[in-house]
Amino acid sequence: MVLLEELVEEVLLRLPPSEPACIVRAALVCKPWCRLVSAPRFRRRFRDLHGAPPVLGVLCNLSVWDDGGRFATRLIPTSPACPRRDDLLFCHALDARHGRVLLGGVPSYPGADPLEAGRHLAVWDPVTYGLRALPPALADCKAAVACAAGDGCDHLDCHSGPFVVVALGGFEPEDIWLCVYSSEADSWSEPTYLSRAPVYGVSCQPAALVGNTLYFAIDGSRILRYDLATREASVIYLPETCGYGNRLMTLEDGAVGVARVDSDRDARLSLCLWSMEASPNGDIGWTKIRVIELNKLLPVDELLITPNSLVGFAHGIGVFFIKANDRLFMIDLKSGKVKMVCKGSHFYTVVPYTSFYTPALGSVTIGETSGVDASIG
């Protein structure tokens, strides 16, 4: 019996995005199926149906002292779609978005000055292994990467297209400065000086993107909001009820939020989530929306969980990364599933790599060798 193409498409659209090998195998069944899953229409519908992209891997920033001391970034796959790669020495992952990873580190030439490490940035594609070095930034900085088209792009195939990098830095008594790099111009904008910088500089945690707006944690009580379209920046204050140790996140409904590990009266540690809400007159408010008791989720002694256990999160999909007992756990709040990603005590922060990974195939002849490429968005 020959199935109607419309029915085949509806079935294949429901293959799990975290297991792209299923789509590749479906493409190799016959030429009509290959044409179906290779079409832009299929990729667009696949993205629309599944929403936010899945976590394909985790970039762990490591400190290794067995050979005199060095730091590196290690990509640990969480899906068969993500290839294993060698450690990237003398650099660390700052951010990942739209199929790109933003790296910071020292230049790899003899006599390089370690004090210049924070000025050197590069954009890396973990699948193709392509690396693009950026001109040195103004000074030591934290940064975020995003597609240059912003909301005007569906981010299906933009990983090789134009991008922007927003960098900010500053130490007291200096003001916080902000610069924007354009891949099309291959240059940085003139710096904009904003708010007074905290004593220890801006936070190193990844930024959150909501629509065309990036949110950076400056310190435990302030957030810097930067509009990529209007190039306007402003500072938002967190209420005291949120406490310190907050990590910015993009919620599943597209709002910006914060998360932190906190303890209750019985000293039990929980993951607490707040959502930011803006009133019609522009005032910002924060509402606690969820409390997750970690001792009921993690297969470790509760005493091994600390307020510093939250080391990363995947924006928009409710996936958090908790470090406890020298193990890294991935927690999916939607499904309630917990997965141990890796063991080790050397990593200090993690940056999830999220992306759709669908085949971009030409014609396939059954019984013959055919090349399989990938499209990432």
Side-chain angles (χ1 to χ4, degrees), residues 127-175:
V127 177
T128 66
Y129 219 63
L131 186 71
R132 175 168 175 171
L134 277 56
L138 178 65
D140 185 33
C141 65
K142 313 306 176 187
V145 63
C147 171
D151 279 347
C153 179
D154 59 13
H155 307 304
L156 287 175
D157 295 302
C158 68
H159 65 287
S160 59
F163 61 88
V164 295
V165 172
V166 180
L168 73 159
F171 292 87
E172 201 172 17
E174 300 173 354
D175 290 334

Side-chain angles (χ1 to χ4, degrees), residues 103-142:
L103 301 172
V106 298
S108 57
Y109 55 80
D113 185 356
L115 297 178
E116 294 291 299
R119 298 185 59 204
H120 293 269
L121 305 172
V123 172
W124 179 51
D125 186 331
V127 177
T128 66
Y129 219 63
L131 186 71
R132 175 168 175 171
L134 277 56
L138 178 65
D140 185 33
C141 65
K142 313 306 176 187

Side-chain angles (χ1 to χ4, degrees), residues 33-325:
W33 283 30
C34 177
R35 286 193 296 268
L36 191 154
V37 301
S38 301
R41 163 190 162 88
F42 180 86
R43 299 206 309 274
R44 187 175 300 107
R45 292 195 63 200
F46 190 80
R47 167 68 183 266
D48 291 342
L49 176 65
H50 294 283
V55 178
L56 299 185
V58 181
L59 294 133
C60 293
N61 292 320
L62 310 170
S63 294
V64 183
W65 303 100
D66 54 2
D67 58 355
R70 61 182 172 88
F71 59 97
T73 292
R74 177 174 301 165
L75 177 61
I76 300 176
T78 58
S79 164
C82 193
R84 292 189 177 275
R85 298 297 189 189
D86 294 334
D87 291 354
L88 297 172
L89 300 179
F90 307 112
C91 64
H92 54 278
L94 297 174
D95 192 33
R97 189 174 291 106
H98 303 152
R100 306 173 182 89
V101 175
L102 182 63
L103 301 172
V106 298
S108 57
Y109 55 80
D113 185 356
L115 297 178
E116 294 291 299
R119 298 185 59 204
H120 293 269
L121 305 172
V123 172
W124 179 51
D125 186 331
V127 177
T128 66
Y129 219 63
L131 186 71
R132 175 168 175 171
L134 277 56
L138 178 65
D140 185 33
C141 65
K142 313 306 176 187
V145 63
C147 171
D151 279 347
C153 179
D154 59 13
H155 307 304
L156 287 175
D157 295 302
C158 68
H159 65 287
S160 59
F163 61 88
V164 295
V165 172
V166 180
L168 73 159
F171 292 87
E172 201 172 17
E174 300 173 354
D175 290 334
I176 293 176
W177 57 266
L178 182 147
C179 289
V180 181
Y181 169 84
S182 167
S183 65
E184 295 175 292
D186 192 26
S187 63
W188 292 93
S189 68
E190 290 296 320
T192 300
Y193 293 91
L194 306 165
S195 172
R196 180 67 65 183
V199 175
Y200 299 106
V202 296
S203 171
C204 63
Q205 63 173 283
L209 177 67
V210 177
N212 274 327
T213 305
L214 278 167
Y215 294 83
F216 292 89
I218 301 176
D219 51 27
S221 62
R222 293 182 296 169
I223 296 172
L224 187 141
R225 176 172 54 188
Y226 180 73
D227 192 310
L228 292 169
T230 65
R231 300 293 180 93
E232 295 179 350
S234 58
V235 174
I236 302 172
Y237 285 85
L238 289 168
E240 294 182 1
T241 52
C242 285
Y244 287 85
N246 303 300
R247 286 186 171 268
L248 283 174
M249 53 182 284
T250 304
L251 299 171
E252 294 180 60
D253 60 2
V256 64
V258 295
R260 72 186 300 266
V261 175
D262 207 351
S263 59
D264 59 17
R265 295 179 179 178
D266 298 322
R268 292 175 300 189
L269 290 171
S270 300
L271 181 63
C272 302
L273 310 182
W274 283 265
S275 175
M276 186 182 76
E277 299 176 355
S279 65
N281 61 4
D283 292 336
I284 300 297
W286 295 87
T287 304
K288 184 182 287 189
I289 58 173
R290 191 168 180 185
V291 177
I292 302 99
E293 295 186 25
L294 294 175
N295 64 305
K296 294 182 178 180
L297 286 177
L298 298 178
V300 296
D301 191 315
E302 186 177 1
L303 296 176
L304 299 174
I305 306 171
T306 70
N308 295 323
S309 291
L310 178 60
V311 292
F313 46 87
H315 293 285
I317 57 177
V319 174
F320 291 81
F321 293 86
I322 301 291
K323 180 182 177 182
N325 195 26

